[in-house]
Amino acid sequence: MSRSEAASTTVEGAGARLEVSFETAAGGPLQVRYRVHNTADADLAVFDRGNRHAVLIGRQHGGAVGDPSFREDGDDLTLSHVALPLAQPTPTVPPVPLAAKLAAGETLEGSFAFTAPTAGVPKRVRWCLGVAPFDQADFSAPEEVDGVEIWQASFALAERQQTLCTPWFDLSSGMFAPD
């Protein structure tokens, strides 16, 4: 894609709506901008804030959108901001998931840039975001950072979160695939 135009899509989930735009230019990183709407009657946890270990070692600023994890599958690349399960064997400093608390009816905006550290350029990319109902028993140590309430989350949420994924985005055409 030689031009720099944004393509947008919307993903509906149980209690959440995700509006996403992807923008890329030849040789540049993929720019992802998004807005999460809490359409439920209760608070929602949004797992886009990385993990506590990344903050402690200075790889990530506390409260900022974390770097996505990624998985290659042939020419396809899936980016993810989700709560990950606790690795086995358990690391000395576990990467405790961080989540933004989003009140009922509220909206959270975020963005990140991603350059694939892969041998070849992927043909298609998609992004997945984990969200879960905010149950106080699963969260601890709240911090207010830049107007966003950030909480440390239980590893158990990796199994219970809802994952909202965009359709595939074709890098050569700069368009999302139709549903």
Side-chain angles (χ1 to χ4, degrees), residues 53-69:
H53 182 255
V55 172
L56 291 173
I57 65 171
R59 191 175 72 207
Q60 176 186 332
H61 171 70
V65 173
D67 291 332
S69 59

Side-chain angles (χ1 to χ4, degrees), residues 91-176:
T92 304
V93 180
V96 174
L98 296 176
K101 183 178 180 183
L102 184 57
E106 294 294 316
T107 300
L108 177 70
E109 293 186 16
S111 65
F112 64 93
F114 185 83
T115 301
T118 57
V121 175
K123 285 187 177 180
R124 301 184 313 165
V125 178
R126 71 176 174 173
W127 174 59
C128 298
L129 176 66
V131 298
F134 190 92
D135 181 345
Q136 186 77 37
D138 290 317
F139 296 91
S140 64
E143 294 181 78
E144 182 85 18
V145 182
D146 299 328
V148 178
E149 198 173 313
I150 308 298
W151 291 72
Q152 294 181 34
S154 162
F155 284 105
L157 287 163
E159 298 297 321
R160 297 194 317 256
Q161 70 190 322
Q162 172 184 194
T163 306
L164 306 173
C165 294
T166 66
W168 288 104
F169 178 77
D170 182 282
L171 287 167
S172 62
S173 70
M175 297 177 65
F176 286 100

Side-chain angles (χ1 to χ4, degrees), residues 25-113:
L30 175 67
Q31 300 286 334
V32 179
R33 290 178 181 76
Y34 60 94
R35 184 176 296 127
V36 183
H37 301 272
N38 182 347
T39 59
D41 294 332
D43 295 340
L44 188 68
V46 180
F47 295 104
D48 65 346
R49 302 299 153 149
N51 66 71
R52 186 74 182 136
H53 182 255
V55 172
L56 291 173
I57 65 171
R59 191 175 72 207
Q60 176 186 332
H61 171 70
V65 173
D67 291 332
S69 59
F70 68 94
R71 184 183 76 242
E72 290 180 88
D73 185 14
D75 289 336
D76 294 337
L77 186 66
T78 300
L79 308 177
S80 298
H81 279 107
V82 296
L84 297 173
L86 182 59
Q88 296 299 324
T90 304
T92 304
V93 180
V96 174
L98 296 176
K101 183 178 180 183
L102 184 57
E106 294 294 316
T107 300
L108 177 70
E109 293 186 16
S111 65
F112 64 93

